[in-house]
């Protein structure tokens, strides 16, 4: 797939009763980059119909001018009423000016004017709301058209070898959503996951939302990571990696230029490429990317983007039925930093949409591109509302084990979960136990479900005897058919996959009737 960066801004529901209020942005070729002064004006990704971040943060606004000149930035409302005025000095030799607007309540429309001497540039139909960045590979790039629903806005940037301060190209500038803008073509713009997340959040929040999409199909996490983040994990990079797969290339071209933007949150859908490349480093590279993006956006926005920027992501869906490979299962586990659920100590301020039960073997775009992005976005917005917006009583996680108790004499393992369970499908291979002694490799055997009662699952260990070294659930490339995994909660959220290694827990659970194992 090609590169794409898209911006979608939402406007008042009253103006667009049939669509999610939105405007979006696509990068065209630009005549300037930092260090080379060009015409006076705003940076590439400011435009008509845009959404700027509302209070409590201040929106960062920047652009180009003549070094040493004074720039006046004026925000005005209905009838030209001046709401605020800011002044900034154009820095040399970069030829850039920057200002931070005072925190603004949600709403609009406003006009934003920058003036330098006798020159003025005015942006119209500007709203204040929440700005979300959506990034990743092709499952983020799939458009509304491809999943059969209305879509969003997009912006595309070129790959480069060194970090840019502004975007070289935008596919689509901030725009009002239309069928053409939302479903321009396969894997172009606008992202279905991003659009639907914005629509669901708008339904909950009822104020403007700006959506920025920066996605490129087939790309590993290393391409989106800064050199600093990569150094934290020290991955060895195969020499054959090139183009958009080159380490840090998309960080340089698509993320670094956005760092001055004040954001409310990030949505991430990536990982398929890393199921085939550096799979077992993802438990470092993903938390490192999150931490690095947070530091960079906080610094780039002069502290306006919060340091613990909410970061949501989609756990990998499926690829091939009956595949014996476990790289997808390992990658799903590593997406949680090997802790199974988020947020957790290694990944604070994060939320996850489980998608392993949304497989689509007949997808015309290949089974690695399932078409049901509505459920993906629905699960993401639950996490956003709980983690980013602090909504109480929003259930955003599926049930997860809290302890396992072995009944040696009866050959049973009782697994207690965090929530009431719905036993949706009788699958004898969903749970598996490891029954061998080290150093020999694990011999994974099915542990059939005997009963599900309230929050407890009872598993039969007939083939295992008394020695249970590990327990895992849904550990497969294609764990279950569509919406038919074994365990869900009463809100329809699937229990995520897990791997419990008893050897890592003091006392284990093979010889202790009442050992309680923390996952």
């Amino acid at each position: 797939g090609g590169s794409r960066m898209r911006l979608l801004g939402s406007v008042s529901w009253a103006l667009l009763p049939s669509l999610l209020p939105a405007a979006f942005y696509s990068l065209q070729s630009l005549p300037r980059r930092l260090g080379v002064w060009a015409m006076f004006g705003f940076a590439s990704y400011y435009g008509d119909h845009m959404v700027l971040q509302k209070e409590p943060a201040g929106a960062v606004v920047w652009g180009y001018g003549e070094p040493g000149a004074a720039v006046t930035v004026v925000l005005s409302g209905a009838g030209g009423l001046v709401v605020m005025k800011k002044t900034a000095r154009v820095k040399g030799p970069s030829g850039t000016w920057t200002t931070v607007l005072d925190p603004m309540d949600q709403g609009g429309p406003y006009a934003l004017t920058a003036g330098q001497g006798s020159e003025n540039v005015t942006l119209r139909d500007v709203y204040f709301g929440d700005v979300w960045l959506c990034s990743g590979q092709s499952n983020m790039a799939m458009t509304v058209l491809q999943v059969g629903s209305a879509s969003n806005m997009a912006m595309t940037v070129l790959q480069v070898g060194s970090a840019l301060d502004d975007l070289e190209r935008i596919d689509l500038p901030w725009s009002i959503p239309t069928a053409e803008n939302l479903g321009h073509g396969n894997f172009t713009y606008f992202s279905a996951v991003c659009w639907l997340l914005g629509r669901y959040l708008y339904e909950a929040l009822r104020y403007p939302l700006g959506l920025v999409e920066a996605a490129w199909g087939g790309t590993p996490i290393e391409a989106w990571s800064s050199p600093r983040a990569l150094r934290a994990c020290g991955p060895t990079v195969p020499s054959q990696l090139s183009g958009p797969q080159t380490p840090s290339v998309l960080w340089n071209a698509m993320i670094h230029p956005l760092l001055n933007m004040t954001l409310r949150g990030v949505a991430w859908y990536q990982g398929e490429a890393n199921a085939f490349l550096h799979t077992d480093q993802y438990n470092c590279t993903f938390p490192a990317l999150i931490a690095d993006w947070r530091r960079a956006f906080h610094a780039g926005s002069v502290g306006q983007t919060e340091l613990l920027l909410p970061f949501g992501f989609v756990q990998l869906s499926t690829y091939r039925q009956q595949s014996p490979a476990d790289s997808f299962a390992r990658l799903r586990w590593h997406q949680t930093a090997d802790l199974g659920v988020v947020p957790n100590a290694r990944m604070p301020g994060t939320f996850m949409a489980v998608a392993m039960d949304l497989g689509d073997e007949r997808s015309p775009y290949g089974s690695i591109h399932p078409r049901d992005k509505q459920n993906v976005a629905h699960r993401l917005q639950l996490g956003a509302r709980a983690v980013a917006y602090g909504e109480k009583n929003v259930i955003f996680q599926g049930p997860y084990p809290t302890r396992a108790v072995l009944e040696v004499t009866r050959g049973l393992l009782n697994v207690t979960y965090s929530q009431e369970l719905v036993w949706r499908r009788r699958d004898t291979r969903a749970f598996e136990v490891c029954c061998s002694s080290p150093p020999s490799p694990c011999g994974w055997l099915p542990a059939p479900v005997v009963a599900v009662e309230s929050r407890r699952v009872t598993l039969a260990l007939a083939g295992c005897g008394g020695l249970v070294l590990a327990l895992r659930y849904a550990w497969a490339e294609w764990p279950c058919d569509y919406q038919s995994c074994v365990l869900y909660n009463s809100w329809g959220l699937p229990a995520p996959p897990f791997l419990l290694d008893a050897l890592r827990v003091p006392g284990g659970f093979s010889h202790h009737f009442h050992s309680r194992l923390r996952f």
Side-chain angles (χ1 to χ4, degrees):
S3 74
R4 40 197 58 81
M5 179 159 300
R6 312 174 174 109
L7 306 166
L8 176 70
S10 105
V11 301
S12 118
W13 186 259
L15 297 178
L16 287 174
S18 62
L19 289 171
L20 164 67
F24 38 108
Y25 188 66
S26 159
L27 292 180
Q28 310 300 330
S29 295
L30 296 175
R32 54 189 178 235
R33 81 171 68 181
L34 250 74
V36 181
W37 176 74
M39 67 186 76
F40 172 72
F42 293 93
S44 66
Y45 47 82
Y46 297 94
D48 296 343
H49 315 301
M50 70 180 172
V51 174
L52 296 174
Q53 182 58 44
K54 73 174 188 68
E55 53 78 30
V60 176
V61 177
W62 70 280
Y64 301 91
E66 185 175 356
V71 174
T72 302
V73 178
V74 176
L75 183 73
S76 54
L81 179 68
V82 173
V83 177
M84 79 175 75
K85 181 181 290 189
K86 298 286 183 179
T87 57
R89 185 72 60 179
V90 181
K91 296 177 294 186
S94 66
T96 61
W97 53 267
T98 303
T99 190
V100 180
L101 301 183
D102 299 335
M104 289 288 295
D105 289 339
Q106 66 203 45
Y110 294 92
L112 187 66
T113 300
Q116 173 189 274
S118 61
E119 294 183 274
N120 287 289
V121 179
T122 298
L123 306 179
R124 304 189 185 281
D125 197 37
V126 174
Y127 283 75
F128 287 86
D130 282 345
V131 182
W132 282 78
L133 171 63
C134 301
S135 188
Q137 54 182 112
S138 53
N139 270 306
M140 181 60 82
M142 282 183 75
T143 68
V144 173
L145 180 70
Q146 290 176 274
V147 303
S149 142
S151 166
N152 215 336
M153 90 156 184
M155 171 173 82
T156 302
V157 300
L158 302 173
Q159 56 178 5
V160 288
S162 59
L164 295 183
D165 292 290
D166 200 358
L167 295 163
E168 285 203 335
R169 200 182 87 205
I170 297 173
D171 278 349
L172 179 69
W174 286 105
S175 309
I176 301 298
T178 64
E180 165 64 15
N181 292 339
L182 299 181
H184 183 73
N186 292 346
F187 301 103
T188 56
Y189 50 82
F190 196 72
S191 163
V193 169
C194 195
W195 165 263
L196 292 166
L197 172 63
R199 192 178 79 184
Y200 295 146
L201 284 178
Y202 177 81
E203 290 170 358
L205 301 171
R206 308 305 293 184
Y207 58 72
L209 286 160
L211 305 174
V212 180
E213 180 194 348
W216 196 317
T219 51
I221 195 171
E222 290 81 4
W224 298 98
S225 303
S226 73
R228 176 175 62 181
L230 292 175
R231 284 194 297 270
C233 299
T236 55
V237 180
S239 58
Q240 68 268 27
L241 287 182
S242 61
Q245 295 188 330
T246 306
S248 299
V249 68
L250 299 180
W251 159 265
N252 289 338
M254 301 180 78
I255 302 303
H256 192 273
L258 302 178
L259 294 182
N260 292 353
M261 185 180 283
T262 310
L263 295 179
R264 185 65 181 84
V266 174
W268 174 259
Y269 196 159
Q270 189 277 334
E272 295 88 351
N274 288 96
F276 307 100
L277 176 73
H278 300 153
T279 305
D280 292 320
Q281 292 178 354
Y282 207 88
N283 58 3
C284 179
T285 51
F286 188 36
L289 176 142
I290 295 172
D292 185 67
W293 280 26
R294 284 171 165 165
R295 286 194 299 267
F297 275 102
H298 181 72
S301 64
V302 205
Q304 297 305 306
T305 296
E306 63 179 300
L307 195 50
L308 197 64
L309 177 66
F311 197 109
F313 63 94
V314 182
Q315 196 176 43
L316 282 196
S317 186
T318 56
Y319 183 25
R320 299 165 297 193
Q321 288 211 46
Q322 312 301 327
S323 170
D326 72 344
S327 61
F328 265 60
R330 299 198 326 269
L331 201 286
R332 291 186 196 109
W333 183 240
H334 296 332
Q335 285 179 295
T336 68
D338 300 352
L339 293 170
V341 286
V342 299
N344 59 50
R346 290 194 60 200
M347 300 174 67
T350 61
F351 53 95
M352 175 177 77
V354 176
M356 66 177 181
D357 66 329
L358 302 177
D360 184 3
E361 191 177 28
R362 294 183 174 86
S363 171
Y365 315 106
S367 60
I368 205 165
H369 298 124
R371 287 167 290 181
D372 181 357
K373 296 298 193 274
Q374 289 87 349
N375 271 298
V376 168
H378 171 70
R379 294 170 183 179
L380 263 184
Q381 65 92 24
L382 292 176
R385 288 166 56 193
V387 174
Y389 294 98
E391 275 195 51
K392 306 301 181 187
N393 305 317
V394 172
I395 305 299
F396 69 103
Q397 299 168 314
Y400 199 73
T402 56
R403 67 179 184 268
V405 179
L406 185 66
E407 294 188 52
V408 178
T409 55
R410 299 178 62 196
L412 300 175
L413 183 63
N414 293 311
V415 183
T416 301
Y417 274 79
S418 59
Q419 300 168 349
E420 296 286 313
L421 297 168
V422 175
W423 189 7
R424 191 174 287 188
R425 183 176 175 84
R426 274 62 172 167
D427 182 346
T428 58
R429 293 206 66 95
F431 288 92
E432 296 172 298
V433 288
C434 164
C435 301
S436 59
S437 304
S440 60
C442 241
W444 290 100
L445 296 176
V449 177
V450 175
V452 177
E453 301 169 342
S454 183
R455 298 187 176 199
R456 190 173 75 172
V457 176
T458 300
L459 306 175
L461 304 175
C464 211
L467 186 63
V468 179
L469 298 181
L471 171 69
R472 68 188 187 184
Y473 170 73
W475 203 263
E477 192 167 296
W478 194 292
C480 58
D481 290 333
Y482 183 76
Q483 293 197 333
S484 296
C485 279
V486 173
L487 296 178
Y488 289 77
N489 64 16
S490 54
W491 292 270
L493 297 176
F498 70 81
L499 171 67
L500 174 65
D501 184 348
L503 297 179
R504 296 179 184 175
V505 182
F509 54 77
S510 53
H511 301 294
H512 298 265
F513 184 84
H514 285 302
S515 18
R516 295 191 173 189
L517 305 180
R518 288 288 162 196
F519 283 68

